[in-house]
Amino acid sequence: MTDPTGSDTRGRTGPPPGCPAHAGAIPLSGLEYQQTPSELYRNMRRDHGAVAPILLDGGIPAWLVLGYAEVSYVTGHDELFARDSRRWNQWENIPQDWPLLPYVGYQPSVLFTEGPEHQRRAGVITQALEGVDQFELAQWSRAIAHGLIDAFAGSGRAELMSAYAHALPMRAAVQMCGMPLGNEDTEELVSDLRITLDAGEGDDPVAAYIRVGERIHRLVKEKRSAPGPDVTSRMLLHPAGLTDEEIVQDLISVIAAAQQPTANWICNTLRLLLTDDRFALNVSGGRLSVGQALNEVLWLDTPTQNFIGRWAVRDTQLGGRQIRAGDCLVLGLAAANTDPQIWPEGHIGAENSAHLSFSNGEHRCPYPAPLLADVIARTAVETLLERLPDVVLAVEPEELTWRPSIWMRGLTSLPARFTPAVR
Ligand code: HEM
């Protein structure tokens, strides 16, 4: 096994010069990522070891942490690799319209806090999410699923990505936070959240972000005067005494963190079920189950394939590399899950959940969240299969394309057909 801080035991001849911008750094944008990232990560690991020098958009240097042991080490050592991006040593090279700014630009939310302040903020979120009743969440998710399926069931065809997988978790998250579904106000919030997370042509993400902030502000005010059994009210009533501003920031983080990965988890699982003979479409078919498909996706096609990131607190070593104070590290979660060091036989896809898809350590996905995401995703997949038992792909599997993103792993579309159904 590789020593996370020491040299690579697989015979690389030693670290290149300390600065990640050295010759040979790999530009992270490239076609390969869209279709077969696993092969690419394997080649990167072979050529560069467990910590590879990369270039982000615009040639900005960073490190991609590819090894399972190394990702576990980085995420488990906050004192060395921390979350506050203001310590980045590259800020002077970052233009104002840099495409990754929404992910790395410091915001006063739970995502960028550290130490006791992070424990305070994350503790409030964890306790508020703990209060979500899983059976109730399954009921809501089922009702949302039925409503979405009703809209396309009669036509015999649907593009399941936008009409289903992306639409469902957003609504479930908004409902968990205490906004009733079905009214105009909530639908506008759902639409604005979609624009902020995944702007299409003609959308104005900045204006949508401002409207989201205003709506969440109103929600917090409403719940201050009339609390209910929801995440927002539990955050407001928590003894840590977060300010309204802090709660607004963290609610936006919770909804955004819930939406994209859960949507892609649903979609990638539906793809697996519709393209792989090992999975019977009929849930009662006695073959591999929806639960196994959901878990296999987390190992092999995990939604958050790379996560940016962590920033080195001081000069240190990692995977035989010299890391400088303020260097940026991208967590290669998909690469870590398929690391040959943990799968020496080449067979990937354990039935356990020791993958790093929800990350690890202090900033990992707060522990009730993976369970809630599982309830939403499982209900979404099972309800679709129950309602449309003969659903099949409307294109050849090879025609499905992955989104051109190195961050999220998800399809551009998932066209399906089925016998038109009545409600
Ligand atoms: C109900 C659904 C979900 C909720 C409410 C949720 C919430 C959150 C929150 C609040 C954070 C920030 C934690 C912090 O900085 O302290 C986070 C981080 C994260 N979540 Fe989730 N999440 C959900 C689903 C998912 C899913 C489905 C995945 C992937 C399969 C995922 C993967 C992650 C990852 C990789 C991080 C980053 C952790 C890090 O910085 O190391 N989450 N999530």
Side-chain angles (χ1 to χ4, degrees), residues 99-132:
L100 296 178
L101 262 187
Y103 304 99
V104 298
Y106 174 83
Q107 293 155 29
S109 78
V110 64
L111 299 176
F112 292 92
T113 52
E114 294 178 356
E117 177 57 10
H118 178 258
Q119 282 157 18
R120 173 173 163 264
R121 303 279 284 267
V124 173
I125 293 176
T126 299
Q127 213 165 312
L129 292 176
E130 258 174 358
V132 177

Side-chain angles (χ1 to χ4, degrees), residues 75 83 110-112 118 122 125 129 176 250 253-255 257-259 261-262 265 298 302-304 307 309-310 331 333 356-360 362-366 369-370 372-373 376:
T75 50
R83 259 307 272 158
V110 64
L111 299 176
F112 292 92
H118 178 258
I125 293 176
L129 292 176
M176 276 196 291
D250 289 353
S253 301
V254 165
I255 297 172
Q259 161 58 17
T262 313
W265 193 11
L298 292 181
T302 195
T304 314
F307 185 80
R310 296 292 191 274
L331 306 177
L333 303 176
L356 291 173
S357 296
F358 295 106
S359 192
N360 169 57
E362 182 66 28
H363 270 274
R364 79 182 301 267
C365 192
L372 302 179
I376 298 169

Side-chain angles (χ1 to χ4, degrees), residues 141-155 160 164 281-283 379-391 418-423:
S141 303
R142 186 159 293 115
I144 297 166
H146 279 297
L148 295 169
I149 296 168
D150 286 344
F152 56 71
S155 69
L160 294 176
Y164 194 67
L281 279 186
N282 185 338
V283 186
T379 308
V381 173
E382 288 180 353
T383 309
L384 188 92
L385 298 180
E386 279 159 26
R387 283 286 301 274
L388 311 172
D390 64 354
V391 63
F418 42 84
T419 304
V422 277
R423 292 177 63 170

